Every structure is written in C-alpha cells, then in structure tokens.
Amino acid sequence: MLPPHVVNKIAAGEVVERPASVLKELLENSIDAGAGRVNVTVAEGGRRLVSVADDGCGMGRDDALLAIEPHATSKIRDVDDIEHIGTLGFRGEALAAVASVSRFRLVSRAEGDAAGVEVVVSGGRVQDVRETGCPRGTLIEVRDLFFNVPARRKFLRSHATELGRLRSAYIEQALAHPGVAMSLAVDGKDPDVLPGGADLAERIRAVFGPDMIQRLKPIESESGGVRVAGFAGIPTLARSDRSEQFVFINGRATSAPLIAHCIREAYRGIIAPDTYASLFLFVETDPAEVDVNVHPTKREVRFRQTSAVRDSVIEAIRRALSASAPPRTATAEQPKAGAVAPGLPELAITNLPQSRAFRYPRLAAFPGDPPYAGPRAGAAGHEEGPAAPADVSGDAKRHSPWSWCRVLGQVGGLYVVLETEDGLVLMDPHAAHERVLFETFMKAVDSGGADVQRLLIPETVALQPGDAERVRKSMAELNRLGFGVSEFGENTFIADALPAAFAGVGANAILVETARQLEQAGPRAGPSSGREEAIARAACKAAVRARDRLSLDEIERLVVDLAAAEMPYTCPHGRPTMVLMGFRELNRKFGRE
Ligand code: ADP
Ligand code: MG
C-alpha cells in the first residue's frame, strides 16, 4: 500500500500537467458554482501565480476543508450519476491535486454566511484555517506550482509558451460560457475584459476581433437526437495548426476521436491536407450517450452510439459551408474516378500563351469593384488581407475566396494558375465551371424556372434499358427543369427543348449522363426537390464535358463567377474546384517563418 501523500502526488500528475490545466480546473469549478463573473490573474506563465475569483455559490467552512480532500465532490453521489452529469466536474480530484503540488490559498463565503473562510495549504499540508471577511464567492490562488515536485517543474516550458496555453484554456471556457463575464490579467497588466450576457457570436467577436466572425458560417442543425451548432470557418481560413478549432460536447470544452474524424471528413477536399479550418463546434446529445469518464482531465470523451453523431456532425458542417446545398452524406459526394460517359469528349482548354501570363490584369471578384487594390507590401504583409473596397456588401462577397485574382497561366493543359491576395491558387476549370453553371441554373429554377430553348429539330435519343428506366422515373422533374423530353417507345425518347443554360450540349449527352448520375445518387436522390438538384448536377457535368474549349476570356469570366458563387470550393459533386496555397504556407515551406 502506498501512503496517502504518495498517492496524492501520483494522482496530481494525472490531473495537473501544467499551469493551464490548473486554470481549466479552477474555471470549470467556478462555472459549476454558478458564477456570473470570473476574474483570472496569472504571473510568469502561471508558474508563479494562477488565481481565479468568482461570484458563485461559495463554500462554508466545512465544505471548504472537504473540498481539498481527494475524492471529495458535491457533484455526484453514485457512479450512475455520471450517466446524466450536468456539471463539468465530478471526480473530486482537482483541488486536492492542485493543493498537493503548490502553495494554495482558498478564500470563500457561501450565500447567507456572515463570514468567509480562508484555508492555506502548502504541498498538501493545511497550514492555516481562519475566519475572514470577503464577498460571496470563491477565490483560489495557486502559487509556485510544482515547487515540491522538481521532476515536473523541469517539464514546464518558457513563460511565453505556458502563457499561450493559459490563454487557450481561458478562451476555451470563455467560448463555452459566453454568458459569464470574464477577465484575464497577465503579469500585473490591466485585465482584458469579456462582457457577460453575450451569445456565441458576440463572444467570438470579443475574443478574436470583428474580422473573424465575418469569415464564419453559422452551423445549426438537429437530427437523430444530436444538435449541432456553432460556426464553421470558410476553407480559405484554414491554418496549419488547430489553434482555432474549438469543440464543445454537451457544454464541455473537450474533444473526441469521432468528432476529429467528422471535422476532417467535412472539410476533406476543400482544404489542403495538414491544414485545419477555424471551427466553433457545439455538439449536444443525451448525456447518457456520452462517456465523460475516459480521462482524469476530461480532455476526451467517447460516444456510445457513433453513427448518428457522425452523420449529424458531418452533415451540419457541410451544410453550413454550402448554404444552398441540400443535406448530403459524404459518401454520396465521392465522384467515381474516370467515370466518363461514352461518346462525350473530354474537355480541352486552349493553352494560355506563357509570355503573356504576367501581363494579365488583376480581376476584381465582383463587377463594379476596383480591379486592383493597389501595390502591396512584401509577402509577409499579405497575411493582413487585402485593402478591401470600402463598399463591400452582401453574403457572397464575405465568403468569396478572393477579392481580386490574376490568371497567371495554365499547367498540364488543364489547371489554371491564379495569384490572389492570399497566395497561390490552382483551379480545376471543369469543376469550377460545373459549380458556376449549377448555381446559376438552380437560382433560375428556384425563382420560377430557367429559360427554355426550343430545338429546331427535335432530337431522338435511344437509351439502354436501365438508363431509360431511370429517365422515365425522372420525367416529371426533367420537364419541370425545362427539358422537353417525352417517351417515344422502345427506350427511345424525343427531346424538343432544353434549358437555355445547356443549349448546344445535345440532349443525348445530357440524358445519358443524367441517368448515370441518378444511378449513382441512388435512393438518396430521395424527395422531388433532391431529385431536381441531382438532375441539375448531372446536367451541369454533362454540359461541361461537352464543351470543347475555354478561351482566355472565358477563363477570366469563370474566375470572377466562381468568386461570387455561394459554395465556390467544390463542384456540385463535392470535388474541389481549387487548391489554395497561402502565403503563410509558402513562407513556411521556404523556411521564412
Ligand atoms: P469536482 O469539481 O470534480 O467536484 P474539485 O476538486 O474540482 O472536484 O472540487 C471539489 C469540490 O469543491 C467541488 O465539488 C465543489 O463542491 C467545491 N468547489 C470547488 N471550487 C469551487 C468554487 N469555485 N465555488 C464553489 N465550490 C467549489
Ligand atoms: Mg472541479
């Protein structure tokens, strides 16, 4: 049997790794105590001092003494209580652990008590307990962390590094509880204050500044007993680390392997691998479905039922990023490699003459904007973003991947190379063209129908039995979308009109391709509006395939239209339209950072 003080020190090692873990535990305790205001003070990266003062319920003398005993908690009584836990703490370990490896002071007064209590502990030994005058609530000061555990102290990093982690721990709780007023004072300087009573958007603005929120799209969805809310960063905002990814599960700043997987999946193909989108993700589900007792620091939780959570989270993020797109599952978006319908020529594009590349002008993403934002500072200055035109308005502009770009040329006879204010972009013109066509067409359909062009000579289309069957099933939707298709018997159809957007493509190509795409979408194409979208997606793909050349003018038109698209980052089937390489990434690659 190990003596208790050894047990405590070992346990402390699990809960308290560094000053930031102390801060996290103290903040969670204040939130659990119902605080409306929490003031944090730190000094020397938290090594010298981490202190948290709250106006919560406070503790009486007996409770205050109990609170620093191991496994003393007011939050659960039985192991079953963990199943429907409503508080952040429940293990009763944190205060005991912190008090055993620091010089610790607790001052607290409960509502209704005439006087407060002060408890002083050093390295786990109680030094002093006395009555004291103090406001309602609790103040906990943790000084000289690990003063009695030299092995641990050695693992602490520089003050700056530890301060960075303290800030992250603070921000995490600030985002999880925007209603609580908070402040952080560092090394005796004036505190940064976050006003209380805020909602998430206000809190994000208060923490990250006004620019951040503009580049986020709201997440809001509920399905299968899982509620997903928060904000998803547009793909161009992706960073090389996770410092702007925040995940909250049932109000707890925590993570789960499953959620990390969902995030990767949702952003797959629209951000570069090894980069991380900014994300503020709140997942709420029945507490009984979440196992929070996986790790002493509660850093990680596990879901009991994984599939409902996975589907809901991926779909919620994807839907947020693509405001106009219907809910789709990730698998439905994976295009089949090389699935080219027979008889359709692959798109070829005129090679841009190399010598002219640098003479191409900068194109404003929105007609009417000045084409050129003025000469820019060196590469490092690019991180500040462009000097945006003053009259920027509208949703599209805010989510646009660039405010200006310049077509530099083409590689492999296919990929278009662009310079933008943020760096380098490679664009797949097929995918981009599909996206632009799709959005234009769906907009026309939604606002009362696309223009229809009658064919001078109706086209006869003979299909294979399977394809014919699928076209037959979609006849109503095809007609609604402006395809004048009717049956001619024996798996043959007559087309006498096409939506103007697809004029010149040929009914044959569109019908064959549409049938194949519907086959791939399968039953997921589901309800009628979903089928219409599926048809439109297919038709756009066919139309782009059937085009044989894009001129330079058309490419320039395309980059402008793409910038204005609602979801510019993927084609309607989920394939990326562009690969972005920001100046930050370039600088890193060249060792400039
Ligand atoms: P846990 O949070 O898991 O219960 P802790 O060791 O963090 O364990 O805290 C022990 C107990 O001390 C809590 O259950 C709570 O009753 C009390 N306590 C801790 N911090 C505060 C606070 N800021 N205000 C009121 N009570 C507190
Ligand atoms: Mg606690």
Side-chain angles (χ1 to χ4, degrees):
M1 296 292 288
L2 295 171
H5 71 273
V6 178
V7 173
N8 286 353
K9 271 200 190 171
I10 292 176
E14 288 179 349
V15 186
V16 186
E17 204 188 336
R18 50 182 8 110
S21 26
V22 173
L23 180 57
K24 170 181 187 282
E25 295 293 341
L26 297 184
L27 286 173
E28 290 194 342
N29 280 347
S30 295
I31 304 291
D32 280 347
R37 160 173 301 281
V38 182
N39 299 324
V40 179
T41 310
V42 301
E44 292 178 14
R47 282 173 155 210
R48 200 159 73 72
L49 174 70
V50 174
S51 111
V52 173
D54 68 52
D55 63 355
C57 63
M59 288 172 268
R61 181 193 161 94
D62 294 349
D63 284 345
L65 284 169
L66 257 185
I68 52 172
E69 292 293 325
H71 315 297
T73 179
S74 57
K75 298 170 192 175
I76 60 169
R77 279 183 190 283
D78 207 324
V79 69
D80 297 340
D81 295 342
I82 299 178
E83 295 258 315
H84 31 85
I85 191 97
T87 53
L88 299 168
F90 58 87
R91 298 175 62 105
E93 285 178 338
L95 288 191
V98 172
S100 74
V101 293
S102 69
R103 298 187 222 277
F104 178 98
R105 181 166 164 261
L106 181 163
V107 180
S108 189
R109 184 170 68 81
E111 179 87 77
D113 283 5
V117 61
E118 173 176 6
V119 180
V120 178
V121 186
S122 182
R125 271 179 247 280
V126 178
Q127 310 280 307
D128 194 10
V129 181
R130 68 173 73 179
E131 206 171 81
T132 183
C134 64
R136 193 199 76 171
T138 304
L139 160 71
I140 289 181
E141 285 175 1
V142 177
R143 290 177 194 277
D144 306 328
L145 185 66
F146 299 138
F147 79 95
N148 56 345
V149 199
R152 273 276 155 172
R153 212 164 51 222
K154 273 200 292 230
F155 281 99
L156 293 184
R157 310 286 293 279
S158 69
H159 289 177
T161 306
E162 297 297 342
L163 178 60
R165 299 199 167 151
L166 284 165
R167 278 192 202 283
S168 308
Y170 173 78
I171 289 173
E172 223 167 50
Q173 298 299 328
L175 293 168
H177 309 285
V180 178
M182 291 175 63
S183 73
L184 172 65
V186 177
D187 292 325
K189 291 187 215 100
D190 281 349
D192 281 337
V193 179
L194 299 172
D199 61 19
L200 178 62
E202 288 162 346
R203 181 68 27 122
I204 290 174
R205 195 173 293 122
V207 173
F208 296 97
D211 286 354
M212 170 68 108
I213 197 86
Q214 301 228 317
R215 296 181 283 180
L216 300 174
K217 291 196 152 197
I219 304 172
E220 185 65 79
S221 86
E222 183 156 12
S223 69
V226 184
R227 208 176 93 79
V228 189
F231 291 93
I234 58 170
T236 39
L237 218 60
R239 302 168 63 94
S240 58
D241 60 36
R242 281 199 187 79
S243 61
E244 281 177 6
Q245 272 193 4
F246 298 90
V247 176
F248 305 92
I249 299 167
N250 286 350
R252 189 187 294 277
T254 187
S255 181
L258 178 68
I259 301 293
H261 161 80
C262 293
I263 297 171
R264 273 198 306 278
E265 200 52 43
Y267 277 97
R268 191 166 64 179
I270 53 178
I271 61 175
D274 302 326
T275 64
Y276 305 90
S278 305
L279 190 67
F280 303 87
L281 188 69
F282 288 74
V283 181
E284 306 280 339
T285 182
D286 180 354
E289 293 294 318
V290 184
D291 187 358
V292 292
N293 192 22
V294 182
H295 191 266
T297 63
K298 302 159 280 171
R299 267 254 136 259
E300 199 170 292
V301 303
R302 277 173 207 282
F303 290 94
R304 290 180 226 274
Q305 302 275 334
T306 54
S307 61
V309 175
R310 187 178 47 228
D311 291 352
S312 311
V313 172
I314 294 175
E315 186 187 307
I317 299 175
R318 285 243 158 186
R319 205 193 297 180
L321 291 174
S322 160
S324 64
R328 289 178 266 145
T329 54
T331 44
E333 299 185 29
Q334 298 313 312
K336 274 202 190 137
V340 181
L344 291 178
E346 265 290 24
L347 176 61
I349 298 164
T350 332
N351 281 317
L352 302 180
Q354 294 236 329
S355 58
R356 272 184 56 197
F358 280 90
R359 279 196 270 125
Y360 294 141
R362 295 188 177 195
L363 307 165
F366 296 89
D369 281 357
Y372 177 38
R376 301 187 47 85
H382 283 281
E383 283 172 26
E384 312 304 322
D391 66 332
V392 172
S393 64
D395 245 23
K397 280 195 184 185
R398 271 200 269 121
H399 303 306
S400 167
W402 50 73
S403 66
W404 62 262
C405 75
R406 181 162 69 166
V407 181
L408 296 183
Q410 221 181 354
V411 287
L414 171 63
Y415 299 113
V416 176
V417 185
L418 307 174
E419 184 200 355
T420 76
E421 69 264 36
D422 291 324
L424 183 72
V425 174
L426 295 174
M427 182 182 88
D428 177 340
H430 300 206
H433 193 186
E434 254 180 71
R435 164 55 63 184
V436 167
L437 205 54
F438 174 72
E439 285 196 9
T440 322
F441 181 59
M442 284 317 284
K443 231 170 246 158
V445 169
D446 288 344
S447 63
D451 287 344
V452 172
Q453 191 168 80
R454 303 246 134 237
L455 300 181
L456 287 178
I457 306 163
E459 216 176 305
T460 316
V461 184
L463 295 175
Q464 287 165 13
D467 290 343
E469 182 52 31
R470 284 183 282 274
V471 167
R472 214 170 280 131
K473 272 202 232 137
S474 302
M475 203 66 99
E477 289 88 3
L478 282 166
N479 287 324
R480 261 206 302 285
L481 290 171
F483 294 88
V485 182
S486 52
E487 263 197 274
F488 195 58
E490 294 284 316
N491 299 330
T492 302
F493 297 81
I494 297 255
D496 60 6
L498 286 178
F502 306 123
V505 177
N508 191 21
I510 289 200
L511 284 186
V512 171
E513 179 74 1
T514 304
R516 308 253 143 131
Q517 292 292 320
L518 285 174
E519 162 78 346
Q520 274 184 34
R524 262 185 295 259
S528 167
S529 71
R531 291 180 71 84
E532 279 182 16
E533 287 222 8
I535 293 169
R537 275 201 288 275
C540 292
K541 188 166 191 177
V544 169
R545 284 238 168 90
R547 290 287 321 255
D548 51 351
R549 282 186 182 258
L550 284 183
S551 67
L552 173 57
D553 284 349
E554 283 170 313
I555 289 180
E556 290 188 343
R557 173 92 230 142
L558 192 55
V559 299
V560 171
D561 289 347
L562 186 67
E566 209 138 349
M567 177 54 188
Y569 304 100
T570 65
C571 83
H573 297 86
R575 225 155 44 78
T577 53
M578 58 180 108
V579 171
L580 314 146
M581 201 179 284
F583 285 116
R584 195 175 289 182
E585 193 182 343
L586 288 172
N587 288 343
R588 198 157 39 85
K589 283 201 196 305
F590 284 104
R592 283 172 172 275
E593 233 168 46

